[in-house]
Amino acid sequence: MNYKNLKEEDKQVYEIIEKEKIRRYNTLEMIPSENHTSPAVLEALSSILNDKYAEGYPKKRYYGGNEHIDEIEELCQKRARDLFGVPYVNVQGYSGSPANHAVYMATVNPGDKVMGMDLMSGGHLTHGWKVNFSGKYYDSVFYGVDEDTHLIDYEKVREIAQREKPKLILCGATAYPRVIDFKKFAEIADEVGAYLCADISHISGLVVSGAHLSPIPYVDVVTTTTHKTLRGPRGALIMVTDKGLKKDKKLGEKINKAVFPGLQGGPHEHTIAGIAVCLKKAAEPQFSDYGKQIVKNCKVLSEELIALGFNLVSGGTDNHLIVVDLRNKGISGSNAQSILEKSNIIVNKNTVPFDTASPFNPSGIRLGTPALTTRNMKEEEMKIVASLISLALEGEDVKNKVTSLCEKFPLWN
Ligand SMILES: *Cc1c(COP(=O)(O)O)cnc(C)c1O
Protein backbone atom coordinates (compact mmCIF):
# COMPACT_ATOMS: atom_id res chain seq x y z
CA MET A 1 0.00 0.00 0.00
CA ASN A 2 1.11 3.52 -0.75
CA TYR A 3 0.59 5.68 2.33
CA LYS A 4 1.97 8.84 0.74
CA ASN A 5 -0.70 11.24 2.01
CA LEU A 6 -0.92 9.70 5.43
CA LYS A 7 2.82 9.98 5.84
CA GLU A 8 2.65 13.68 5.04
CA GLU A 9 -0.44 14.58 7.01
CA ASP A 10 -0.21 12.41 10.09
CA LYS A 11 3.20 10.99 10.74
CA GLN A 12 2.14 9.63 14.13
CA VAL A 13 -0.56 7.36 12.74
CA TYR A 14 1.62 6.47 9.76
CA GLU A 15 4.46 5.34 11.98
CA ILE A 16 2.23 3.18 14.15
CA ILE A 17 0.94 1.43 11.03
CA GLU A 18 4.53 0.96 9.82
CA LYS A 19 5.46 -0.64 13.15
CA GLU A 20 2.48 -2.96 12.90
CA LYS A 21 3.57 -3.89 9.38
CA ILE A 22 7.00 -4.88 10.63
CA ARG A 23 5.47 -6.83 13.51
CA ARG A 24 3.25 -8.73 11.07
CA TYR A 25 6.17 -9.47 8.76
CA ASN A 26 8.22 -11.02 11.53
CA THR A 27 5.64 -12.98 13.49
CA LEU A 28 3.87 -16.27 12.99
CA GLU A 29 0.21 -15.27 13.18
CA MET A 30 -1.49 -18.36 14.59
CA ILE A 31 -4.72 -16.98 16.04
CA PRO A 32 -7.21 -19.08 14.05
CA SER A 33 -9.73 -16.25 13.63
CA GLU A 34 -7.16 -14.01 11.95
CA ASN A 35 -5.76 -13.84 8.46
CA HIS A 36 -3.80 -11.62 6.08
CA THR A 37 -6.06 -9.76 3.67
CA SER A 38 -5.04 -9.25 0.05
CA PRO A 39 -3.90 -5.83 -1.27
CA ALA A 40 -6.91 -5.75 -3.62
CA VAL A 41 -9.30 -6.07 -0.66
CA LEU A 42 -7.40 -3.36 1.24
CA GLU A 43 -7.60 -1.04 -1.77
CA ALA A 44 -11.37 -1.49 -1.98
CA LEU A 45 -11.57 -0.84 1.76
CA SER A 46 -9.74 2.45 1.49
CA SER A 47 -11.86 3.62 -1.46
CA ILE A 48 -14.18 6.62 -1.69
CA LEU A 49 -17.17 4.31 -1.22
CA ASN A 50 -16.50 4.99 2.46
CA ASP A 51 -18.01 8.45 2.02
CA LYS A 52 -21.52 7.51 0.95
CA TYR A 53 -24.68 7.20 3.02
CA ALA A 54 -26.90 4.47 1.64
CA GLU A 55 -29.47 3.57 4.32
CA GLY A 56 -31.86 1.06 2.88
CA TYR A 57 -31.23 -1.54 0.18
CA PRO A 58 -30.43 -1.40 -3.55
CA LYS A 59 -33.09 0.65 -5.40
CA LYS A 60 -34.81 1.46 -2.09
CA ARG A 61 -32.47 3.96 -0.47
CA TYR A 62 -33.21 6.85 1.85
CA TYR A 63 -30.51 8.97 0.20
CA GLY A 64 -29.85 10.11 -3.37
CA GLY A 65 -26.77 9.48 -5.47
CA ASN A 66 -26.63 5.75 -4.90
CA GLU A 67 -26.62 4.32 -8.44
CA HIS A 68 -23.04 3.00 -8.18
CA ILE A 69 -23.46 2.02 -4.56
CA ASP A 70 -26.44 -0.10 -5.66
CA GLU A 71 -24.22 -1.67 -8.32
CA ILE A 72 -21.52 -2.63 -5.84
CA GLU A 73 -23.97 -4.01 -3.27
CA GLU A 74 -25.85 -6.03 -5.90
CA LEU A 75 -22.57 -7.39 -7.26
CA CYS A 76 -21.52 -8.42 -3.75
CA GLN A 77 -24.90 -10.09 -3.15
CA LYS A 78 -24.72 -11.98 -6.43
CA ARG A 79 -21.21 -13.24 -5.75
CA ALA A 80 -22.24 -14.42 -2.29
CA ARG A 81 -25.36 -16.19 -3.59
CA ASP A 82 -23.38 -17.88 -6.35
CA LEU A 83 -20.46 -18.91 -4.16
CA PHE A 84 -22.52 -20.37 -1.32
CA GLY A 85 -25.46 -21.51 -3.43
CA VAL A 86 -28.17 -19.66 -1.51
CA PRO A 87 -31.26 -17.79 -2.76
CA TYR A 88 -30.91 -14.84 -0.41
CA VAL A 89 -28.16 -12.84 1.27
CA ASN A 90 -27.72 -9.67 3.29
CA VAL A 91 -24.22 -8.19 3.03
CA GLN A 92 -24.64 -5.17 5.32
CA GLY A 93 -23.85 -6.65 8.74
CA TYR A 94 -21.06 -4.62 10.34
CA SER A 95 -19.45 -7.76 11.71
CA GLY A 96 -20.24 -11.25 12.98
CA SER A 97 -21.86 -10.25 16.26
CA PRO A 98 -24.40 -7.78 14.81
CA ALA A 99 -25.14 -10.31 12.04
CA ASN A 100 -26.05 -12.89 14.66
CA HIS A 101 -28.10 -10.29 16.51
CA ALA A 102 -30.08 -9.70 13.31
CA VAL A 103 -30.87 -13.42 13.08
CA TYR A 104 -32.30 -13.36 16.62
CA MET A 105 -34.38 -10.30 15.79
CA ALA A 106 -35.73 -11.90 12.62
CA THR A 107 -36.59 -15.30 14.08
CA VAL A 108 -37.48 -14.96 17.78
CA ASN A 109 -38.83 -12.44 20.29
CA PRO A 110 -37.07 -11.13 23.42
CA GLY A 111 -37.57 -13.63 26.24
CA ASP A 112 -37.89 -16.59 23.87
CA LYS A 113 -35.78 -19.65 24.45
CA VAL A 114 -32.65 -20.08 22.33
CA MET A 115 -30.02 -22.78 22.42
CA GLY A 116 -26.32 -22.60 21.57
CA MET A 117 -22.98 -24.17 22.36
CA ASP A 118 -21.48 -23.08 25.67
CA LEU A 119 -18.40 -20.91 25.66
CA MET A 120 -16.27 -23.44 27.55
CA SER A 121 -16.92 -26.04 24.84
CA GLY A 122 -16.00 -23.65 22.06
CA GLY A 123 -19.20 -21.67 21.42
CA HIS A 124 -19.35 -17.92 20.74
CA LEU A 125 -20.51 -15.13 23.07
CA THR A 126 -23.43 -14.38 20.74
CA HIS A 127 -24.77 -17.93 21.09
CA GLY A 128 -26.46 -17.12 24.40
CA TRP A 129 -23.70 -16.15 26.84
CA LYS A 130 -25.03 -14.28 29.85
CA VAL A 131 -23.04 -11.03 29.50
CA ASN A 132 -23.95 -10.76 25.80
CA PHE A 133 -27.24 -9.44 24.29
CA SER A 134 -28.04 -13.05 23.44
CA GLY A 135 -28.05 -14.11 27.08
CA LYS A 136 -29.52 -10.89 28.46
CA TYR A 137 -32.54 -10.53 26.22
CA TYR A 138 -33.18 -14.16 25.39
CA ASP A 139 -33.67 -17.18 27.60
CA SER A 140 -30.57 -19.12 26.63
CA VAL A 141 -29.78 -22.77 27.26
CA PHE A 142 -26.64 -24.62 26.23
CA TYR A 143 -25.27 -27.84 24.88
CA GLY A 144 -21.59 -28.72 25.13
CA VAL A 145 -19.09 -31.41 24.36
CA ASP A 146 -18.62 -34.82 25.93
CA GLU A 147 -16.24 -34.83 28.88
CA ASP A 148 -14.14 -37.72 27.56
CA THR A 149 -14.18 -37.31 23.78
CA HIS A 150 -14.57 -33.51 23.64
CA LEU A 151 -16.93 -34.07 20.72
CA ILE A 152 -20.46 -32.71 20.44
CA ASP A 153 -22.74 -35.43 21.79
CA TYR A 154 -25.69 -35.21 19.40
CA GLU A 155 -27.88 -37.42 21.58
CA LYS A 156 -27.37 -34.98 24.45
CA VAL A 157 -28.15 -32.07 22.14
CA ARG A 158 -31.39 -33.86 21.19
CA GLU A 159 -32.30 -34.48 24.85
CA ILE A 160 -31.75 -30.84 25.81
CA ALA A 161 -33.64 -29.58 22.75
CA GLN A 162 -36.61 -31.85 23.47
CA ARG A 163 -36.71 -30.83 27.11
CA GLU A 164 -36.21 -27.09 26.56
CA LYS A 165 -38.03 -26.60 23.24
CA PRO A 166 -35.93 -23.67 22.00
CA LYS A 167 -37.31 -21.55 19.17
CA LEU A 168 -33.85 -20.99 17.70
CA ILE A 169 -30.83 -23.29 17.73
CA LEU A 170 -27.36 -22.05 16.87
CA CYS A 171 -24.62 -24.36 15.71
CA GLY A 172 -21.09 -23.40 14.80
CA ALA A 173 -18.19 -22.53 17.04
CA THR A 174 -15.15 -20.48 17.70
CA ALA A 175 -12.91 -23.07 19.34
CA TYR A 176 -14.13 -26.51 18.21
CA PRO A 177 -11.45 -28.46 16.31
CA ARG A 178 -13.76 -31.04 14.74
CA VAL A 179 -16.32 -31.25 11.93
CA ILE A 180 -19.78 -30.03 12.83
CA ASP A 181 -22.55 -32.32 11.63
CA PHE A 182 -25.14 -29.82 10.38
CA LYS A 183 -27.38 -32.64 9.19
CA LYS A 184 -27.75 -34.01 12.72
CA PHE A 185 -28.47 -30.54 14.05
CA ALA A 186 -31.15 -30.14 11.37
CA GLU A 187 -32.87 -33.38 12.40
CA ILE A 188 -32.97 -32.16 15.99
CA ALA A 189 -34.20 -28.66 15.07
CA ASP A 190 -36.92 -30.17 12.87
CA GLU A 191 -38.06 -32.49 15.66
CA VAL A 192 -38.63 -29.57 18.04
CA GLY A 193 -39.77 -27.06 15.40
CA ALA A 194 -36.88 -24.64 15.95
CA TYR A 195 -35.17 -22.38 13.50
CA LEU A 196 -31.61 -23.54 12.89
CA CYS A 197 -28.82 -21.06 12.27
CA ALA A 198 -25.31 -22.22 11.35
CA ASP A 199 -22.68 -19.65 12.29
CA ILE A 200 -19.76 -20.60 10.05
CA SER A 201 -17.65 -17.53 10.88
CA HIS A 202 -14.52 -19.58 11.46
CA ILE A 203 -14.94 -22.14 8.71
CA SER A 204 -16.63 -20.36 5.78
CA GLY A 205 -13.36 -20.42 3.81
CA LEU A 206 -13.17 -24.17 4.39
CA VAL A 207 -16.82 -24.65 3.42
CA VAL A 208 -16.39 -22.92 0.05
CA SER A 209 -13.18 -24.89 -0.52
CA GLY A 210 -14.92 -28.18 0.08
CA ALA A 211 -12.72 -28.76 3.13
CA HIS A 212 -15.69 -28.82 5.53
CA LEU A 213 -19.26 -30.05 5.13
CA SER A 214 -21.56 -27.24 3.97
CA PRO A 215 -24.56 -26.37 6.14
CA ILE A 216 -26.53 -24.90 3.22
CA PRO A 217 -28.71 -27.96 2.43
CA TYR A 218 -29.68 -28.48 6.06
CA VAL A 219 -30.14 -25.23 7.98
CA ASP A 220 -32.47 -22.22 7.67
CA VAL A 221 -29.99 -19.39 8.08
CA VAL A 222 -26.22 -19.16 7.77
CA THR A 223 -24.11 -16.35 9.18
CA THR A 224 -20.42 -15.81 8.65
CA THR A 225 -17.80 -13.20 9.25
CA THR A 226 -15.83 -12.34 6.13
CA HIS A 227 -12.43 -11.72 7.76
CA LYS A 228 -11.46 -15.17 9.05
CA THR A 229 -10.77 -18.11 6.71
CA LEU A 230 -12.59 -16.20 3.94
CA ARG A 231 -9.74 -13.65 4.00
CA GLY A 232 -11.79 -10.52 3.37
CA PRO A 233 -12.62 -7.31 5.26
CA ARG A 234 -14.13 -7.24 8.74
CA GLY A 235 -17.78 -7.75 7.90
CA ALA A 236 -20.49 -10.40 7.69
CA LEU A 237 -22.90 -12.25 5.45
CA ILE A 238 -26.35 -13.43 6.52
CA MET A 239 -27.76 -16.03 4.16
CA VAL A 240 -31.19 -17.63 4.03
CA THR A 241 -31.37 -21.08 2.45
CA ASP A 242 -34.13 -22.65 0.36
CA LYS A 243 -35.12 -24.58 3.46
CA GLY A 244 -35.37 -21.35 5.47
CA LEU A 245 -37.49 -19.68 2.80
CA LYS A 246 -39.76 -22.71 2.66
CA LYS A 247 -40.29 -22.44 6.40
CA ASP A 248 -41.05 -18.71 6.18
CA LYS A 249 -41.15 -17.04 2.78
CA LYS A 250 -40.70 -13.66 4.46
CA LEU A 251 -37.50 -14.69 6.29
CA GLY A 252 -35.27 -12.78 3.89
CA GLU A 253 -37.28 -9.58 4.33
CA LYS A 254 -37.28 -10.08 8.09
CA ILE A 255 -33.48 -10.36 8.09
CA ASN A 256 -33.22 -7.19 6.00
CA LYS A 257 -35.50 -5.32 8.39
CA ALA A 258 -33.58 -6.58 11.40
CA VAL A 259 -30.27 -5.31 9.97
CA PHE A 260 -31.74 -2.00 8.82
CA PRO A 261 -33.55 -0.24 10.45
CA GLY A 262 -33.54 -2.74 13.33
CA LEU A 263 -29.91 -2.66 14.37
CA GLN A 264 -27.85 -0.57 12.03
CA GLY A 265 -27.87 2.71 10.12
CA GLY A 266 -25.88 3.36 6.97
CA PRO A 267 -24.13 0.32 5.51
CA HIS A 268 -20.34 0.40 5.07
CA GLU A 269 -20.22 0.25 1.30
CA HIS A 270 -16.42 0.30 1.13
CA THR A 271 -16.49 -2.86 3.24
CA ILE A 272 -19.14 -4.33 0.96
CA ALA A 273 -16.84 -3.61 -2.02
CA GLY A 274 -14.01 -5.39 -0.17
CA ILE A 275 -16.29 -8.35 0.52
CA ALA A 276 -17.16 -8.49 -3.21
CA VAL A 277 -13.43 -8.66 -4.01
CA CYS A 278 -12.79 -11.43 -1.51
CA LEU A 279 -15.78 -13.43 -2.80
CA LYS A 280 -14.41 -13.27 -6.36
CA LYS A 281 -11.11 -14.65 -5.10
CA ALA A 282 -12.85 -17.33 -3.03
CA ALA A 283 -14.64 -18.58 -6.17
CA GLU A 284 -11.35 -19.28 -7.98
CA PRO A 285 -9.99 -22.85 -8.06
CA GLN A 286 -6.80 -21.77 -6.21
CA PHE A 287 -8.90 -20.84 -3.20
CA SER A 288 -10.14 -24.39 -2.97
CA ASP A 289 -6.51 -25.57 -2.82
CA TYR A 290 -5.88 -22.90 -0.19
CA GLY A 291 -8.71 -24.10 2.06
CA LYS A 292 -7.59 -27.71 1.76
CA GLN A 293 -4.00 -26.75 2.50
CA ILE A 294 -5.10 -24.97 5.71
CA VAL A 295 -6.56 -28.26 6.91
CA LYS A 296 -3.56 -30.35 5.78
CA ASN A 297 -1.22 -27.95 7.56
CA CYS A 298 -3.28 -28.10 10.72
CA LYS A 299 -3.30 -31.88 10.65
CA VAL A 300 0.51 -32.03 10.41
CA LEU A 301 0.89 -29.38 13.12
CA SER A 302 -1.40 -31.37 15.42
CA GLU A 303 0.46 -34.65 14.83
CA GLU A 304 3.80 -32.98 15.53
CA LEU A 305 2.52 -31.34 18.72
CA ILE A 306 1.15 -34.67 19.93
CA ALA A 307 4.55 -36.30 19.23
CA LEU A 308 6.14 -33.53 21.31
CA GLY A 309 3.96 -34.47 24.29
CA PHE A 310 1.14 -31.95 24.00
CA ASN A 311 -2.45 -32.86 24.88
CA LEU A 312 -4.90 -31.66 22.26
CA VAL A 313 -8.58 -31.16 23.00
CA SER A 314 -10.43 -34.04 21.28
CA GLY A 315 -7.04 -35.59 20.49
CA GLY A 316 -6.50 -33.69 17.25
CA THR A 317 -8.22 -31.64 14.58
CA ASP A 318 -10.33 -31.91 11.42
CA ASN A 319 -10.25 -28.23 10.56
CA HIS A 320 -8.05 -25.13 10.77
CA LEU A 321 -7.61 -24.95 14.54
CA ILE A 322 -6.16 -26.73 17.54
CA VAL A 323 -6.87 -26.27 21.25
CA VAL A 324 -3.96 -27.37 23.42
CA ASP A 325 -4.65 -28.40 27.02
CA LEU A 326 -1.47 -27.34 28.83
CA ARG A 327 -2.19 -28.83 32.24
CA ASN A 328 0.31 -31.69 31.78
CA LYS A 329 2.99 -29.10 30.92
CA GLY A 330 2.49 -27.18 34.17
CA ILE A 331 2.03 -23.87 32.37
CA SER A 332 -1.08 -21.70 32.18
CA GLY A 333 -2.70 -20.49 28.97
CA SER A 334 -1.81 -16.86 29.58
CA ASN A 335 1.80 -17.66 30.43
CA ALA A 336 2.09 -19.76 27.30
CA GLN A 337 0.58 -16.95 25.24
CA SER A 338 3.08 -14.40 26.55
CA ILE A 339 6.10 -16.73 26.34
CA LEU A 340 5.26 -17.52 22.71
CA GLU A 341 4.68 -13.84 21.98
CA LYS A 342 8.23 -13.07 23.15
CA SER A 343 9.40 -15.48 20.46
CA ASN A 344 7.11 -13.84 17.84
CA ILE A 345 4.58 -16.69 17.79
CA ILE A 346 1.08 -15.27 18.27
CA VAL A 347 -1.62 -17.52 19.74
CA ASN A 348 -4.44 -16.87 22.19
CA LYS A 349 -5.15 -18.28 25.62
CA ASN A 350 -8.33 -20.32 25.64
CA THR A 351 -10.47 -22.34 28.00
CA VAL A 352 -10.50 -26.10 27.52
CA PRO A 353 -13.69 -28.15 27.97
CA PHE A 354 -14.57 -28.49 31.68
CA ASP A 355 -11.79 -26.06 32.56
CA THR A 356 -11.52 -25.45 36.29
CA ALA A 357 -9.25 -22.42 35.89
CA SER A 358 -10.63 -18.90 35.40
CA PRO A 359 -11.41 -17.62 31.88
CA PHE A 360 -8.82 -14.85 32.48
CA ASN A 361 -6.15 -17.44 33.02
CA PRO A 362 -7.47 -20.59 31.36
CA SER A 363 -5.68 -23.91 30.94
CA GLY A 364 -5.19 -23.86 27.20
CA ILE A 365 -4.17 -22.05 24.08
CA ARG A 366 -5.88 -21.94 20.70
CA LEU A 367 -3.88 -21.86 17.51
CA GLY A 368 -4.45 -22.43 13.83
CA THR A 369 -3.05 -22.36 10.33
CA PRO A 370 -5.10 -19.93 8.14
CA ALA A 371 -2.64 -17.01 8.22
CA LEU A 372 0.45 -19.23 7.89
CA THR A 373 -1.15 -20.92 4.89
CA THR A 374 -1.86 -17.50 3.38
CA ARG A 375 1.91 -16.94 3.63
CA ASN A 376 2.32 -20.10 1.58
CA MET A 377 3.69 -22.30 4.33
CA LYS A 378 3.16 -26.03 3.86
CA GLU A 379 3.54 -29.29 5.78
CA GLU A 380 7.35 -29.00 6.13
CA GLU A 381 7.06 -25.61 7.76
CA MET A 382 4.39 -26.90 10.15
CA LYS A 383 6.91 -29.40 11.50
CA ILE A 384 9.34 -26.56 12.15
CA VAL A 385 6.63 -24.41 13.74
CA ALA A 386 5.60 -27.24 16.10
CA SER A 387 9.17 -27.69 17.28
CA LEU A 388 9.63 -23.92 17.73
CA ILE A 389 6.48 -23.80 19.88
CA SER A 390 7.75 -26.65 21.99
CA LEU A 391 11.24 -25.16 22.41
CA ALA A 392 9.84 -21.74 23.30
CA LEU A 393 7.58 -23.24 25.98
CA GLU A 394 10.60 -25.08 27.40
CA GLY A 395 12.26 -21.71 27.88
CA GLU A 396 14.40 -21.34 24.78
CA ASP A 397 14.44 -18.01 22.94
CA VAL A 398 13.52 -18.95 19.36
CA LYS A 399 12.78 -15.44 18.09
CA ASN A 400 15.66 -15.46 15.58
CA LYS A 401 14.57 -18.80 14.19
CA VAL A 402 11.00 -17.51 13.86
CA THR A 403 12.03 -14.34 12.06
CA SER A 404 14.24 -16.20 9.63
CA LEU A 405 11.35 -18.56 8.83
CA CYS A 406 9.11 -15.51 8.30
CA GLU A 407 11.65 -13.98 5.92
CA LYS A 408 11.35 -17.02 3.67
CA PHE A 409 7.58 -16.49 3.44
CA PRO A 410 7.18 -12.75 2.94
CA LEU A 411 3.92 -10.87 3.10
CA TRP A 412 2.95 -8.56 0.26
CA ASN A 413 2.01 -5.48 2.28
C1 LIG B 1 -15.72 -14.45 15.20
C2 LIG B 1 -17.04 -15.02 15.47
C3 LIG B 1 -18.18 -14.21 15.60
C4 LIG B 1 -18.15 -12.72 15.77
O1 LIG B 1 -17.54 -11.95 14.90
P1 LIG B 1 -17.12 -10.44 15.23
O2 LIG B 1 -16.83 -9.97 13.85
O3 LIG B 1 -15.93 -10.52 16.12
O4 LIG B 1 -18.27 -9.75 15.86
C5 LIG B 1 -19.41 -14.84 15.73
N1 LIG B 1 -19.51 -16.17 15.75
C6 LIG B 1 -18.43 -16.97 15.66
C7 LIG B 1 -18.63 -18.44 15.69
C8 LIG B 1 -17.16 -16.43 15.53
O5 LIG B 1 -16.11 -17.24 15.47
Side-chain angles (χ1 to χ4, degrees):
M1 294 279 280
N2 175 359
Y3 293 105
K4 188 168 131 285
N5 296 289
L6 185 60
K7 194 175 176 181
E8 266 170 39
E9 284 181 34
D10 192 334
K11 214 165 163 55
Q12 233 179 331
V13 168
Y14 169 78
E15 280 172 358
I16 294 170
I17 295 172
E18 282 301 294
K19 281 190 285 186
E20 172 63 4
K21 198 156 105 183
I22 293 162
R23 187 196 70 83
R24 248 164 72 100
Y25 253 92
N26 296 319
T27 54
L28 295 172
E29 181 48 72
M30 299 191 73
I31 295 171
S33 51
E34 293 188 14
N35 214 328
H36 303 299
T37 316
S38 73
V41 165
L42 292 176
E43 281 173 14
L45 274 177
S46 67
S47 70
I48 53 165
L49 302 188
N50 171 72
D51 298 350
K52 195 73 196 90
Y53 247 107
E55 282 179 359
Y57 289 96
K59 315 231 161 59
K60 292 178 292 252
R61 305 284 187 184
Y62 289 82
Y63 290 82
N66 274 310
E67 57 184 301
H68 305 302
I69 294 294
D70 282 359
E71 236 179 298
I72 197 74
E73 192 166 334
E74 283 178 333
L75 178 65
C76 185
Q77 289 172 343
K78 180 174 185 329
R79 286 182 180 172
R81 285 195 308 266
D82 290 350
L83 181 64
F84 286 90
V86 290
Y88 171 86
V89 65
N90 181 301
V91 299
Q92 291 190 0
Y94 293 150
S95 211
S97 301
N100 283 346
H101 200 165
V103 173
Y104 283 74
M105 268 185 94
T107 56
V108 290
N109 292 310
D112 279 352
K113 194 163 277 184
V114 298
M115 176 168 140
M117 191 177 199
D118 76 66
L119 212 61
M120 215 69 109
S121 297
H124 191 258
L125 283 168
T126 55
H127 296 188
W129 204 242
K130 52 188 177 296
V131 297
N132 184 260
F133 81 85
S134 55
K136 283 194 164 174
Y137 304 131
Y138 299 90
D139 180 11
S140 55
V141 294
F142 297 100
Y143 58 88
V145 294
D146 180 80
E147 194 156 0
D148 297 321
T149 62
H150 302 152
L151 302 178
I152 296 171
D153 179 344
Y154 293 91
E155 270 320 301
K156 273 261 174 63
V157 177
R158 171 173 277 121
E159 259 175 58
I160 300 166
Q162 291 189 338
R163 185 178 71 231
E164 302 285 350
K165 302 265 182 302
K167 296 219 166 109
L168 169 66
I169 298 176
L170 290 115
C171 55
T174 186
Y176 185 67
R178 295 296 183 175
V179 166
I180 294 170
D181 191 337
F182 298 114
K183 191 164 179 230
K184 286 222 181 89
F185 270 107
E187 285 164 15
I188 296 163
D190 288 343
E191 283 164 20
V192 301
Y195 275 112
L196 179 61
C197 173
D199 175 354
I200 58 169
S201 288
H202 260 259
I203 57 168
S204 50
L206 306 184
V207 166
V208 300
S209 305
H212 189 292
L213 173 77
S214 170
I216 306 294
Y218 310 111
V219 310
D220 304 310
V221 185
V222 178
T223 58
T224 180
T225 52
T226 45
H227 49 275
K228 296 179 184 174
T229 48
L230 212 49
R231 238 164 78 185
R234 309 198 85 81
L237 304 173
I238 310 170
M239 298 174 270
V240 181
T241 64
D242 285 315
K243 187 175 175 186
L245 285 182
K246 212 183 224 171
K247 203 171 267 185
D248 178 355
K249 65 178 192 318
K250 294 229 158 103
L251 192 52
E253 280 167 57
K254 286 179 185 170
I255 297 273
N256 270 358
K257 282 202 177 121
V259 174
F260 173 85
L263 289 163
Q264 300 186 172
H268 296 179
E269 296 290 344
H270 58 305
T271 302
I272 290 171
I275 295 173
V277 175
C278 105
L279 292 171
K280 178 172 184 280
K281 196 105 189 151
E284 290 168 1
Q286 297 90 304
F287 195 88
S288 166
D289 298 337
Y290 166 69
K292 288 177 183 134
Q293 189 64 46
I294 291 175
V295 175
K296 279 191 224 162
N297 283 352
C298 205
K299 182 73 79 196
V300 171
L301 184 65
S302 71
E303 286 162 1
E304 294 292 313
L305 288 172
I306 291 167
L308 289 161
F310 288 95
N311 276 341
L312 308 194
V313 167
S314 84
T317 178
D318 299 324
N319 59 20
H320 64 300
L321 73 84
I322 292 167
V323 183
V324 183
D325 184 336
L326 290 163
R327 284 177 290 194
N328 68 326
K329 295 276 183 185
I331 181 170
S332 73
S334 31
N335 278 344
Q337 178 185 314
S338 61
I339 290 166
L340 291 170
E341 184 163 350
K342 288 198 185 90
S343 281
N344 285 16
I345 300 171
I346 310 299
V347 304
N348 69 277
K349 62 183 176 190
N350 213 91
T351 52
V352 298
F354 304 93
D355 208 334
T356 47
S358 97
F360 297 106
N361 193 12
S363 303
I365 50 171
R366 185 183 69 149
L367 62 163
T369 51
L372 299 189
T373 309
T374 301
R375 276 183 105 131
N376 243 334
M377 292 190 189
K378 300 235 159 63
E379 288 89 334
E380 279 315 299
E381 288 72 44
M382 294 306 111
K383 292 181 188 169
I384 299 169
V385 170
S387 84
L388 291 173
I389 288 172
S390 179
L391 289 171
L393 291 177
E394 281 164 13
E396 193 174 315
D397 180 1
V398 296
K399 193 169 175 171
N400 289 338
K401 288 179 182 148
V402 169
T403 49
S404 58
L405 177 62
C406 291
E407 275 161 23
K408 288 192 208 133
F409 295 87
L411 280 164
W412 49 82
N413 51 14

